[in-house]
Amino acid sequence: MKLLEYQSKELLRRYGVPLPRSGGLVRAAGHLGKALKELGRGPWVLKSQVFSGGRGAAGGIRLVRTAQEAACAAGELLGKRLVTAQNAPEGETVRALWVEGALEISRELYVSVSIHRGLGRPVFTFCAEGGVEIERLARESPEKIRTAVLEEGEFRPHQLRGWTDGLELPSGAGERFQEIVGSLIRIFMEQDASTLEINPLIWTAQGEWVALDAKVILDDNALYRHPEYLKLAQKSEEYSKAERKALEAGISYVSMDGEIGCMVNGAGLAMATLDMIHLAGGRAANFLDVGGGADAQQVRRGFELLLSDRKVRAVLVNIFGGILRCDVVARGLLDAFRKLRLGVPLVMRLEGTRVEEGRKLLGASGLSVIGAETLADAAQRAVAAARKV
Ligand code: GDP
Ligand code: MN
């Protein structure tokens, strides 16, 4: 789950990371005055709260000096779509502005903690030249970006020795920097983040470190360990309505753009199924991973979700029964169709544990199912069926 900037900063604040002063979140232009008053004299910064980065370059971050300028900028941003290099071409609607007191920047750094998939370890990444040009810098001068591998999720301060030297900071700044990095890594580990990025972390003209921006992505698979974030996810605009319902039900479900609804068990089988659909010339509308331990009720709820997607023109069920038994899947499906009308063709490939029982149950039900032997066969039938509807 992606956190918006203000949510990320709330988290940072809990761990003592220094942040700009804030006047709060403004969802309507009428509430701007209160936020500015809270902060006192300008200049202020109005920051569009959208998930994608690149807001500054797209005009979504406004430095304003007077209340009038602020009102004008708020009017231009609130309720409008902000198209950035990262969310183009659709953009995202700006539903809220995060208002902060502006700071005088002396140095802009890039710091992040993320997972290095090749190494299978968290890494800390640093660049002395942070800010809105970081992507270009990563392309043109990758040698300026340094990383430290975090063994056991911890960093040893010596790993960062000398990294801030070229910045010519006053004494003490380096130690304070290491403390902040330590906090960021602690947040990353304790909150089960997959990304935590501060760009920029600034050194102000007044001689303080401040996290000017913050982007946190939490690992969805660990949300069950963080009930407060699970609740947030169920309301987050990052997810479709069906995905939010799935989170609530503890079902793994992903919305996509195509026309074939997929029910599979296991992430690997899901990937293979999507590939086969693609090879057969179709595209998946979603996929539902019922996993290993689903019961009939979860299968039913999952199927209801999958069918609630209007894009679905055919359904492909691809189950390789291992721990999850085929008769349990069959029972879940039949349960679902007691309430739902199946308006689209259903292609089914069932294999594995108790497949005979599963097939018998489905056969006896009179439900119209297009059977398939192999995965390739199933994908082709689903694509053909979707075209006919
Ligand atoms: P992003 O473009 O989505 O990453 O949004 P940021 O929050 O990083 O803001 C973009 C840029 O706006 C920063 O890199 C800063 O250069 C600038 N900016 C943001 N807040 C302030 C501020 O308080 N003072 C000044 N001078 N610049 C700011
Ligand atoms: Mn930024």
Side-chain angles (χ1 to χ4, degrees), residues 229-265:
Y229 285 125
L230 186 59
K231 246 188 245 151
L232 203 63
Q234 284 158 16
K235 289 185 286 184
S236 171
E237 303 225 345
E238 182 191 347
Y239 303 107
S240 69
K241 210 166 142 195
E243 284 172 331
R244 290 196 290 252
K245 277 201 185 142
L247 275 169
E248 217 169 295
I251 295 169
S252 168
Y253 176 91
V254 178
S255 295
M256 285 178 293
D257 301 328
E259 61 288 332
I260 297 175
C262 303
M263 178 187 258
V264 293
N265 61 322

Side-chain angles (χ1 to χ4, degrees), residues 47 53-55 131-132 197-200 212-214:
K47 311 193 74 178
R55 298 167 302 164
V132 296
E197 180 190 81
I198 311 297
N199 183 33
L212 208 59
D213 190 11

Side-chain angles (χ1 to χ4, degrees), residues 127-204:
C127 180
E129 297 168 43
V132 296
E133 294 280 322
I134 191 73
E135 277 88 2
R136 194 170 61 83
L137 191 103
R139 269 197 315 275
E140 293 173 5
S141 320
E143 74 287 351
K144 290 189 177 162
I145 294 173
R146 310 172 78 153
T147 56
V149 178
L150 308 175
E151 300 295 340
E152 311 296 325
E154 277 177 33
F155 88 107
R156 321 249 179 274
H158 75 261
Q159 287 181 289
L160 310 185
R161 193 170 294 145
W163 285 22
T164 51
D165 282 1
L167 294 168
E168 293 167 13
L169 298 169
S171 71
E175 282 85 69
R176 187 73 191 105
F177 172 75
Q178 291 192 354
E179 273 171 38
I180 292 171
V181 172
S183 301
L184 297 178
I185 291 168
R186 229 180 37 251
I187 297 171
F188 182 86
M189 299 305 294
E190 288 180 12
Q191 301 298 322
D192 292 309
S194 56
T195 298
L196 186 163
E197 180 190 81
I198 311 297
N199 183 33
L201 172 70
I202 62 163
W203 180 255
T204 65

Side-chain angles (χ1 to χ4, degrees), residues 51-311:
F51 289 111
S52 102
R55 298 167 302 164
I61 307 289
R62 302 288 181 88
L63 184 76
V64 291
R65 297 183 184 281
T66 64
Q68 199 182 0
E69 253 180 71
C72 194
E76 281 169 25
L77 294 171
L78 277 172
K80 305 283 160 34
R81 286 190 93 75
L82 183 67
V83 181
T84 79
Q86 292 178 18
N87 67 12
E90 303 88 21
E92 278 170 76
T93 304
V94 179
R95 301 196 191 277
L97 300 172
W98 181 240
V99 184
E100 289 180 339
L103 291 165
E104 232 179 292
I105 301 174
S106 156
R107 302 269 189 282
E108 273 189 295
L109 277 61
Y110 172 97
V111 296
S112 72
V113 193
S114 57
I115 302 285
H116 190 299
R117 293 188 187 277
L119 298 171
R121 289 251 189 297
V123 291
F124 173 71
T125 304
F126 167 91
C127 180
E129 297 168 43
V132 296
E133 294 280 322
I134 191 73
E135 277 88 2
R136 194 170 61 83
L137 191 103
R139 269 197 315 275
E140 293 173 5
S141 320
E143 74 287 351
K144 290 189 177 162
I145 294 173
R146 310 172 78 153
T147 56
V149 178
L150 308 175
E151 300 295 340
E152 311 296 325
E154 277 177 33
F155 88 107
R156 321 249 179 274
H158 75 261
Q159 287 181 289
L160 310 185
R161 193 170 294 145
W163 285 22
T164 51
D165 282 1
L167 294 168
E168 293 167 13
L169 298 169
S171 71
E175 282 85 69
R176 187 73 191 105
F177 172 75
Q178 291 192 354
E179 273 171 38
I180 292 171
V181 172
S183 301
L184 297 178
I185 291 168
R186 229 180 37 251
I187 297 171
F188 182 86
M189 299 305 294
E190 288 180 12
Q191 301 298 322
D192 292 309
S194 56
T195 298
L196 186 163
E197 180 190 81
I198 311 297
N199 183 33
L201 172 70
I202 62 163
W203 180 255
T204 65
Q206 288 70 36
E208 282 177 284
W209 290 115
V210 180
L212 208 59
D213 190 11
K215 176 180 237 169
V216 175
I217 305 177
L218 301 172
D219 181 351
D220 286 356
N221 294 312
L223 281 178
Y224 75 96
R225 290 208 284 229
H226 306 279
E228 76 281 17
Y229 285 125
L230 186 59
K231 246 188 245 151
L232 203 63
Q234 284 158 16
K235 289 185 286 184
S236 171
E237 303 225 345
E238 182 191 347
Y239 303 107
S240 69
K241 210 166 142 195
E243 284 172 331
R244 290 196 290 252
K245 277 201 185 142
L247 275 169
E248 217 169 295
I251 295 169
S252 168
Y253 176 91
V254 178
S255 295
M256 285 178 293
D257 301 328
E259 61 288 332
I260 297 175
C262 303
M263 178 187 258
V264 293
N265 61 322
L269 192 59
M271 294 302 121
T273 306
L274 299 187
D275 283 348
M276 294 307 274
I277 289 173
H278 194 80
L279 271 176
R283 291 184 322 152
N286 55 42
F287 80 81
L288 172 77
D289 176 2
V290 286
D295 56 22
Q297 194 196 347
Q298 271 169 312
V299 171
R300 173 178 63 78
R301 287 191 72 176
F303 214 76
E304 285 166 5
L305 275 177
L306 188 155
L307 284 175
S308 72
D309 184 340
R310 294 273 177 81
K311 302 189 299 298

